[in-house]
Amino acid sequence: MSKEEVVLLGFWASPFCNRANIALAEKGVAFEGREEDLFGGKSDLLLKSNPIYQKVPVLLHNGKPVCESTNIVSYIDETWPSPPLLPPCPYGRATARFWADFIDKKVFDGGNSIWKSKGEQLEVAKKGFLEILKQLEGAMGEKDYFGGDSFGFVDIIAVPLTSWFYAYEKFGGCKLEDYCPKLYAWMKRCLERESVAKVLPDPEKVYEFVINLRKMHGIE
Amino acid sequence: MSKEEVVLLGFWASPFCNRANIALAEKGVAFEGREEDLFGGKSDLLLKSNPIYQKVPVLLHNGKPVCESTNIVSYIDETWPSPPLLPPCPYGRATARFWADFIDKKVFDGGNSIWKSKGEQLEVAKKGFLEILKQLEGAMGEKDYFGGDSFGFVDIIAVPLTSWFYAYEKFGGCKLEDYCPKLYAWMKRCLERESVAKVLPDPEKVYEFVINLRKMHGIE
């Protein structure tokens, strides 16, 4: 193949898609982003490329599909090795993968439980979400980034999820920064990076999107 | 350090622990297995080594803990590279990680929903589990192992879960082999391997264990 063809099937508000967007930007890989119409009708290419989940993101590299966002970021890191996103030593890599998996399992679902609930359930959801954020803050410790001094794998997995935090605050009636100042300092540090700043959506727009999601879920 | 110290905190019936057991056996790594008393009281070492989940397995390599079974198998593969478990090319690795993640998300919970339910719910659980197995069988295709001709990463992630299939059959009143003959042929192929045969528990014993789990869950 004379020229590499890299296509990313995505959706602007999806933190999972934005992981792939940031990873490609960090590697300086030119690619074509194709916005999927998740509510009007997914493309045949998406359905064919990800028959198991039928979800974005899908990375198509010379026509071959890679699915699931954390897997896509690993693939990008191995295919275009410079600059590396995962640390070089097996123990550092295992620690990064542990936290990436923790974030995958907990953060998005935990945050969404806030805008999906009301009353007593909402208080439980908020408490649960704050505990998750405190655990993440514990993983960061006194470091600038999850992996240490430089922006890397876990930061890419985590930072797109923060675009939704403003919506969680609006529906949860709380200011997350008061509970997790170090996590917010990290978030602002990440947002100063071009690869992150140019990819992540305006939190106000995500908030409006979540208002519509709530209507679609029959909440309010 | 003059000599490597490798300790695995585990539990005999746990398919997740048995992934680590098989991976260490494949690599020929000598280690000390310590059986945890999950119902009587977990060891301080387990609670300290895995503060986030407090679950087995935990691999302690020269005292440093690695948690979460798929992460442990990746760590073992990177720390002791020969023979390799993941394929060498990024696309093959991404495909293996996709299916490992699919198995993590679906198979154990899908199977457990069989022994946790009754009546109409049981029929739904059985149908759901069979669909998962058919998807897995589709991933295998006509190959001998998930990765091709040789036993590898996805086989290690998947095969310990099959120790529980007999219990699912007993509580589900079905013969899984009739629905997924290729998956059963793969399972038997894996069981001929020493690393697998010496690690996996007797399915009859797992069945007895599940009878007790059902009692603990107040079922029957």
Side-chain angles (χ1 to χ4, degrees):
Chain A
M1 192 145 314
S2 60
K3 198 177 176 300
E4 289 204 309
E5 190 196 39
V6 183
V7 174
L8 181 66
L9 309 182
F11 180 71
W12 68 275
S14 160
F16 306 104
C17 297
N18 288 332
R19 291 171 172 176
N21 272 306
I22 295 171
L24 290 167
E26 285 289 326
K27 299 287 187 173
V29 176
F31 69 101
E32 179 196 345
R34 289 193 202 161
E35 190 74 0
E36 286 285 331
D37 183 0
L38 298 188
F39 302 97
K42 296 173 183 177
S43 73
D44 287 343
L45 184 57
L46 172 57
L47 301 178
K48 195 185 71 182
S49 306
N50 189 356
I52 297 293
Y53 299 116
Q54 309 196 339
K55 286 199 303 193
V56 289
V58 174
L59 182 79
L60 292 144
H61 185 198
N62 297 329
K64 287 160 82 180
V66 183
C67 304
E68 295 293 271
S69 63
T70 301
N71 193 32
I72 291 172
V73 176
S74 292
Y75 176 79
I76 290 169
D77 199 29
E78 293 184 346
T79 303
W80 296 281
S82 176
L85 302 177
L86 275 170
C89 73
Y91 195 75
R93 297 162 76 86
T95 305
R97 288 191 185 116
F98 175 86
W99 286 108
D101 179 67
F102 174 87
I103 292 163
D104 271 350
K105 283 176 179 152
K106 306 270 186 177
V107 178
F108 197 59
D109 287 349
N112 288 348
S113 66
I114 293 176
W115 64 258
K116 284 180 180 169
S117 41
K118 285 183 183 178
E120 218 170 287
Q121 250 197 328
L122 174 59
E123 292 311 308
V124 174
K126 271 164 60 176
K127 192 163 172 274
F129 187 63
L130 287 172
E131 274 169 26
I132 292 163
L133 295 191
K134 291 306 274 181
Q135 285 179 307
L136 262 187
E137 204 172 56
M140 178 108 56
E142 299 302 320
K143 305 189 295 288
D144 277 354
Y145 298 99
F146 280 98
D149 293 335
S150 59
F151 183 82
F153 192 82
V154 181
D155 305 299
I156 291 178
I157 299 302
V159 77
L161 293 153
T162 66
S163 308
W164 287 57
F165 283 12
Y166 175 70
Y168 304 153
E169 286 182 325
K170 294 291 273 186
F171 290 111
C174 58
K175 199 154 166 45
L176 295 172
E177 187 168 4
D178 294 346
Y179 297 93
C180 332
K182 283 184 195 166
L183 203 67
Y184 266 70
W186 158 82
M187 184 179 96
K188 287 170 190 165
R189 208 172 290 130
C190 292
L191 281 167
E192 285 167 12
R193 260 184 115 74
E194 197 195 340
S195 69
V196 178
K198 75 175 186 189
V199 162
L200 293 194
D202 179 354
E204 285 274 5
K205 281 196 180 155
V206 174
Y207 172 52
E208 284 164 31
F209 177 69
V210 176
I211 291 175
N212 285 324
L213 277 185
R214 273 165 65 101
K215 282 182 192 151
M216 286 169 59
H217 279 78
I219 305 165
E220 287 189 352
Chain B
M1 192 147 312
S2 61
K3 197 174 176 302
E4 289 205 309
E5 190 195 40
V6 183
V7 174
L8 182 66
L9 309 183
F11 180 72
W12 69 274
S14 160
F16 306 104
C17 297
N18 288 333
R19 291 171 173 176
N21 272 308
I22 294 170
L24 289 166
E26 284 289 326
K27 299 286 187 173
V29 176
F31 69 101
E32 179 197 344
R34 289 193 202 159
E35 189 74 359
E36 286 285 333
D37 183 358
L38 299 188
F39 301 97
K42 296 172 182 177
S43 73
D44 288 342
L45 183 59
L46 172 58
L47 301 178
K48 196 184 72 180
S49 306
N50 189 357
I52 297 292
Y53 299 115
Q54 309 196 340
K55 287 198 303 193
V56 289
V58 174
L59 182 79
L60 292 143
H61 185 198
N62 297 328
K64 288 160 80 180
V66 182
C67 303
E68 296 291 270
S69 64
T70 301
N71 194 32
I72 291 172
V73 176
S74 292
Y75 176 80
I76 289 169
D77 198 29
E78 293 185 346
T79 302
W80 296 282
S82 177
L85 302 177
L86 276 169
C89 72
Y91 195 76
R93 297 161 77 84
T95 305
R97 289 192 185 115
F98 174 87
W99 286 107
D101 179 68
F102 174 89
I103 293 162
D104 271 350
K105 283 176 178 152
K106 306 271 186 179
V107 178
F108 197 58
D109 288 350
N112 287 349
S113 67
I114 293 175
W115 63 258
K116 284 180 179 169
S117 40
K118 286 184 184 177
E120 219 170 286
Q121 251 197 327
L122 174 59
E123 292 310 308
V124 174
K126 270 164 60 177
K127 194 165 171 274
F129 188 64
L130 287 172
E131 274 170 26
I132 292 163
L133 296 190
K134 290 306 274 183
Q135 285 179 308
L136 262 187
E137 204 172 56
M140 178 107 58
E142 299 302 319
K143 305 189 295 288
D144 277 354
Y145 298 98
F146 280 98
D149 294 335
S150 58
F151 183 82
F153 192 81
V154 181
D155 305 300
I156 292 177
I157 298 302
V159 77
L161 292 152
T162 65
S163 308
W164 288 56
F165 283 12
Y166 176 69
Y168 304 154
E169 287 182 324
K170 294 291 273 189
F171 290 112
C174 57
K175 199 154 167 46
L176 295 172
E177 187 169 5
D178 294 345
Y179 297 94
C180 330
K182 283 184 195 166
L183 203 67
Y184 265 72
W186 158 82
M187 184 180 96
K188 286 172 190 164
R189 208 172 290 130
C190 291
L191 281 166
E192 284 168 12
R193 262 184 113 74
E194 196 194 342
S195 69
V196 178
K198 76 176 185 187
V199 162
L200 293 194
D202 179 354
E204 285 274 4
K205 280 197 180 156
V206 175
Y207 171 54
E208 284 164 30
F209 177 68
V210 176
I211 292 175
N212 286 324
L213 277 184
R214 274 166 65 100
K215 283 182 193 152
M216 285 169 60
H217 279 77
I219 306 165
E220 288 189 352

